Amino acid sequence: MTDDPNALRAEILRLVGAYSRLVHAANRPAGDPLRSGFQPAAPVVPYAGRVFTEAEVEAAVAATLDFWLTLGPEGDAFEKELAAWLGVRHTVLVNSGSSANLLAFAALTSPKLPAGRRLEPGDEVITCAAGFPTTVAPILQHGCVPVFIDNDPVTGNARVDQLDDAYVPGKTKAVMMAHALGNPFDLRAVLDFCRCHDLWLIEDNCDSLGSTYTMPTAEGTLTKPTGTWGDLSTQSFYPPHHLTMGEGGAVNVVSRAPLRVLVESFRDWGRDCWCPSGKDNTCNKRFGWQLGDLPEGYDHKYIYSHLGYNLKPLDLQAAIGRQQLKKLPAFVEARRRNWQALRAGLADLEDVIEFSLPTHATGWSSDGFSWDASGCRTDPSWFGFMLLVREDAPFSRTDLVRHLDAHGIASRMLFGGNLLRQPVFHDLARRRPRAFRHVGSLVGADALMRRALFLGVYPGLDTESLEHVAEKVSSFSLCRRHG
Ligand SMILES: Cc1ncc(COP(=O)(O)O)c(C=O)c1O
C-alpha cells in the first residue's frame, strides 16, 4: 500500500463513490439512470426524503478525513455559496431550522440595537395560527407575545387582511411567519405593513428554499427568492427539506450587515468577539477592550454581550450541504414539475377536493394559473402538494389518509394545524392567559387542521410514483362518490 497521503485519500474517495453508487441507488434523484425505480408490486411513495448521489457521501468522507470537525472551511464556503445563491448579505449556518428561528429572534433582542427597535419582553409579534411550532416558540421563549392571525386555507398562508386588526401602536414590534409549504405569503402586503409601522420582518423560509415572489415596481417588476425580502430569514436542512445536511439550518441576514454579528454572537455562546473558529484577533485589539465591569484588556474571546447558545453544526454537515446546493436548481424544478403532475392527475376531483393555489393565483388549468389584479406573482418551490377534503365530500380527511397509507402512500398534515389547539397552548392559556392572543375566529386555521393533508413532490419521486398517487386518490374519491 502507498504511503502517499494524497494517493490514499484519492483511493478512499474512489471506493466511497463506488460503494455509494451501489448501496444508495434508491436515494438518487428520479430520472437518474442508476436509481432503482418504482416497484408496482410493493409500492412505497414517501412524502419526502434524502436525495443524494455519491458526491455528498464523498464530501462527507473527505471532510471526515480532514477532521476539522467543528464549523470550519466547509462551513465558511457553504455560508458564502448559499448567501450568493439567494442574493443576501450573509448566511449563518446553524444546527437546525428551529435553532435558526430562535437565533433570528434572539438577535433582535440584542441590547446593541437602539432601545426603540429591539424586542423587549411584553412586545407583540404577529404570526399566524396554523403551521410549525418552532416558528412561534422563540417569541414566547423571549417573553414576547405572539398575536395570531388566521390562515387562508387555500394558500395555507397568513390572512394579511387581518394584519391591521392585530396591530397595537407601541406594542407590535415584528412580524414572524412562515411561507407555507413553499408557497410565498403575500409579501407585498406584509412588507407594506412592516414599513408603515417600522416593524421587523422575520421570514421563516424553512420550507420554501427556491420559491420566488414578484411585485410591480416603478421600473417594472422585481422578482426575488423568498427569504430575501424581510430583515432576517431562516432555512431548515432536515432531510425532507429542499436540501439537507442531516440536521441543519441557516439564518440569512438579508441586507442589514450588522445583524450578522448579533446572530453569530447568539449562536456562539453570546460572545462579543466575532473571530471565526481557529482565528484570533480579527479586531486587532483582542487585549484592548474594556466592556462591562471587566478589567481593561480582558481577552475579547471571553467577553460576553448576550445570553447565548452553542448552535453550530459540524463542518462535515456543511460539506454535504455544499454538494446539495449544486443540485438545488434541479430539485426546485422537479418539485414544481411534480406538483403540476399531481394537480393535472387530480383535476377531475374539484367537487370533493379543494386544491391549494399559489398566493395571488385565482385558479389553475393545464395551461397555467390565473392571477389576481395585484400584479404580484408567486412561483413556489413546493415543499408538498396540499389539498383539503371538502366539507361536503362523502369521505373525511382521515378516510383518505388511511386509504393512501394502505397503498404505501405517505401523507402529512399541515404540521401542528391550529397551534392554539395544541396541548402546549392549552396549558399556556390556563397558566398565563396573557401569554398570547389572537384576532378573529381562526376558522381558516381550523379548516386546515381538520381537512388538509399534503402529499410528496420531492425530487425522488418518478412519474410512476406520481401516477400511483393520482390513481389511488382518484379511484378512492370516485368509489366514495358513487356510494
Ligand atoms: C416552517 C418550519 N419552520 C421551522 C421548522 C424547523 O426546522 P428543523 O426541523 O430543522 O428544526 C420546520 C420543520 O420542518 C418548518 O416546517
Side-chain angles (χ1 to χ4, degrees), residues 96-99 101 132 134-135 178 204 206-207 236-238 241 247-248 383 415:
S96 75
S98 303
S99 299
N101 282 342
F132 199 80
T134 57
T135 310
D204 179 334
C206 285
D207 298 340
S236 166
F237 302 132
Y238 191 64
H241 293 256
E247 297 286 353
F383 186 83
F415 309 121

Side-chain angles (χ1 to χ4, degrees), residues 40 62 118 159 178 190 212 243 419 455 478:
R118 64 175 170 252
R159 274 190 50 189
V190 173
T212 61
L243 42 107
L419 295 174
L455 301 164
L478 285 173

Side-chain angles (χ1 to χ4, degrees), residues 71 76 264 267-268 271 273-280 282 301:
L71 208 54
D76 233 27
E264 285 182 342
R267 181 191 65 175
D268 303 347
R271 66 185 186 158
C273 162
W274 55 85
C275 289
S277 161
K279 286 225 172 75
D280 291 334
T282 316
K301 264 191 179 310

Side-chain angles (χ1 to χ4, degrees), residues 42-74:
V44 177
V45 186
Y47 89 98
R50 298 158 298 148
V51 178
F52 60 93
T53 62
E54 68 275 20
E56 282 82 347
V57 187
E58 286 170 16
V61 172
T64 306
L65 295 176
D66 293 343
F67 221 61
W68 185 279
L69 295 183
T70 185
L71 208 54
E74 294 289 339

